[in-house]
């Protein structure tokens, strides 16, 4: 499969960024677990593949924290699927994490340039 | 919101359904790209990894969440008590007193009812000892008072 062919090219996800990526993905609308994983993979041009063992725990944790909510709806397979959506608290969290992330990227880029 | 009141079993079933659905969806996508149904399902399962491990990791989140909520409640209780030290002191004192008194009463009751003096029945001095302590009716008391005198 093309998925496992170029696993060397993949980068490890920085700790703590998965939550931000999930929130960002759900900004485009409600999505089920598989959809979230696929969306992250697609928008990272296959560089990031989220392990299921991290994805579901993260989704459930975010839901418990009230940053996302879930409901069961019929999916494209015409089966019951759990759809996650961003809550108001989640939107706020995403905004604050996004600005923190930008700052971090800028700071690290600055340090690496001088090196 | 109503899902919060469902038990652990319900959550387990939902997690199972969630994972099964996502697996089916992934197999469907692979099948559409030209793989046979069987191969598509196999590849999806392989790619997914250990389903049991994934479930276990997700359940761990629930357990941690429960502990966090408990810790939050305890912290909240401590904070509330600190806000009204008079009330806190009174309740703690009352509780301490009640526990102390209960222990004392039970200790006495235990000694009297559950663990009477370790002497065997039938020996003369023992009967006398008991008779002295319970002169129930006057005629009994009179009758027994004879027996008591050695």
């Amino acid at each position: 499969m093309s998925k496992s062919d170029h696993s060397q090219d993949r980068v490890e996800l920085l700790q703590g960024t998965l939550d931000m990526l999930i929130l960002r993905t759900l900004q485009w609308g409600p999505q089920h677990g598989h959809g979230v994983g696929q969306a992250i993979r697609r928008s990272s041009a296959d560089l990031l593949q989220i392990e299921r063992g991290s994805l579901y725990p993260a989704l459930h944790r975010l839901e418990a924290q009230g940053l996302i909510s879930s409901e069961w709806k019929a999916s494209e397979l015409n089966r019951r699927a759990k759809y996650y959506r961003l809550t108001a608290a989640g939107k706020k969290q995403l905004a604050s994490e996004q600005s923190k992330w930008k700052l971090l990227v800028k700071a690290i880029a600055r340090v690496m340039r001088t090196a | 919101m109503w899902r919060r009141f469902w038990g652990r079993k319900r959550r387990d079933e939902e997690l199972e359904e969630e994972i099964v659905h996502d697996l089916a969806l992934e197999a469907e996508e692979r099948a559409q790209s030209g793989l046979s149904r069987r191969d598509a399902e196999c590849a999806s399962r392989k790619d997914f990894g250990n389903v049991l491990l994934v479930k276990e990791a997700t359940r761990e989140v629930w357990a941690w969440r429960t502990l966090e909520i408990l810790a939050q409640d305890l912290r909240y209780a401590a904070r509330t008590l600190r806000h009204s030290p008079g009330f806190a002191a009174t309740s703690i004192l009352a509780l301490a007193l009640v526990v102390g008194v209960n222990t004392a009463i039970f200790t006495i009751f235990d000694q009297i009812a559950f663990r009477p003096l370790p002497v065997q029945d039938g020996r003369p001095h023992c009967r006398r000892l008991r008779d002295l302590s319970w002169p129930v009716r006057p005629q009994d008391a009179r009758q027994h008072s004879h027996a008591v005198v050695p």
Side-chain angles (χ1 to χ4, degrees):
Chain A
M1 285 294 354
S2 62
K3 255 188 176 181
S4 36
D5 277 347
H6 37 86
S7 50
Q8 308 91 299
D9 302 341
R10 280 205 193 95
V11 281
E12 287 269 321
L13 201 54
L14 269 175
Q15 192 134 40
T17 49
L18 176 59
D19 289 7
M20 183 174 71
L21 292 182
I22 291 175
L23 293 179
R24 173 73 177 168
T25 305
L26 288 176
Q27 211 179 15
W28 313 126
Q31 194 57 271
H32 44 66
H34 176 70
V36 170
Q38 292 292 80
I40 292 177
R41 197 164 70 88
R42 256 200 313 274
S43 51
S44 70
D46 278 8
L47 276 171
L48 292 174
Q49 195 193 336
I50 310 302
E51 294 283 331
R52 300 305 179 128
S54 330
L55 180 64
Y56 292 111
L59 283 170
H60 284 241
R61 189 175 53 242
L62 287 170
E63 189 185 0
Q65 288 169 351
L67 298 178
I68 60 179
S69 60
S70 69
E71 63 176 324
W72 290 85
K73 285 197 301 196
S75 75
E76 48 264 59
L77 281 185
N78 245 336
R79 275 167 61 169
R80 232 163 68 92
K82 198 176 178 190
Y83 276 82
Y84 296 94
R85 80 164 64 237
L86 211 56
T87 63
K91 277 181 195 149
K92 247 169 73 183
Q93 174 78 6
L94 174 61
S96 93
E97 275 188 36
Q98 218 161 357
S99 56
K100 262 193 277 180
W101 171 252
K102 277 184 192 148
L103 214 61
L104 179 69
V105 168
K106 224 193 281 180
I108 289 180
R110 199 164 286 179
V111 172
M112 294 311 283
R113 199 173 44 208
T114 57
Chain B
M1 339 121 234
W2 36 274
R3 279 203 315 115
R4 197 184 311 162
F5 300 105
W6 292 358
R8 190 193 163 81
K9 192 166 176 275
R10 180 73 217 159
R11 269 199 306 200
D12 263 340
E13 284 168 5
E14 284 194 349
L15 179 61
E16 169 81 24
E17 196 176 347
E18 190 178 1
I19 289 175
V20 165
H21 172 270
D22 284 2
L23 265 173
L25 195 56
E26 202 166 326
E28 182 66 31
E29 279 167 12
R30 278 166 207 257
Q32 272 170 12
S33 69
L35 237 60
S36 78
R37 182 126 289 270
R38 221 185 117 74
D39 285 351
E41 272 170 23
C42 253
S44 302
R45 209 167 291 252
K46 213 172 104 192
D47 222 45
F48 192 95
N50 191 330
V51 174
L52 267 181
L53 270 182
V54 170
K55 279 196 208 166
E56 203 47 54
T58 310
R59 276 194 213 107
E60 229 163 75
V61 171
W62 304 339
W64 268 115
R65 193 63 202 157
T66 314
L67 277 181
E68 268 172 37
I69 290 170
L70 183 69
Q72 260 172 21
D73 285 349
L74 287 179
R75 273 201 303 275
Y76 177 66
R79 219 162 42 233
T80 316
L81 283 179
R82 250 207 314 276
H83 269 296
S84 45
F87 171 75
T90 314
S91 3
I92 291 170
L93 207 73
L95 278 176
L97 217 66
V98 165
V99 171
V101 167
N102 260 308
T103 312
I105 291 177
F106 179 74
T107 309
I108 294 169
F109 187 74
D110 183 45
Q111 288 298 324
I112 293 172
F114 295 149
R115 278 183 264 190
L117 286 177
V119 284
Q120 279 191 337
D121 236 350
R123 305 230 300 269
H125 70 270
C126 164
R127 227 181 299 128
R128 270 184 240 150
L129 202 65
R130 191 150 18 102
D131 290 346
L132 241 189
S133 4
W134 270 284
V136 186
R137 291 171 297 182
Q139 65 265 36
D140 282 352
R142 219 178 304 120
Q143 188 191 334
H144 284 281
S145 63
H146 294 298
V148 181
V149 181

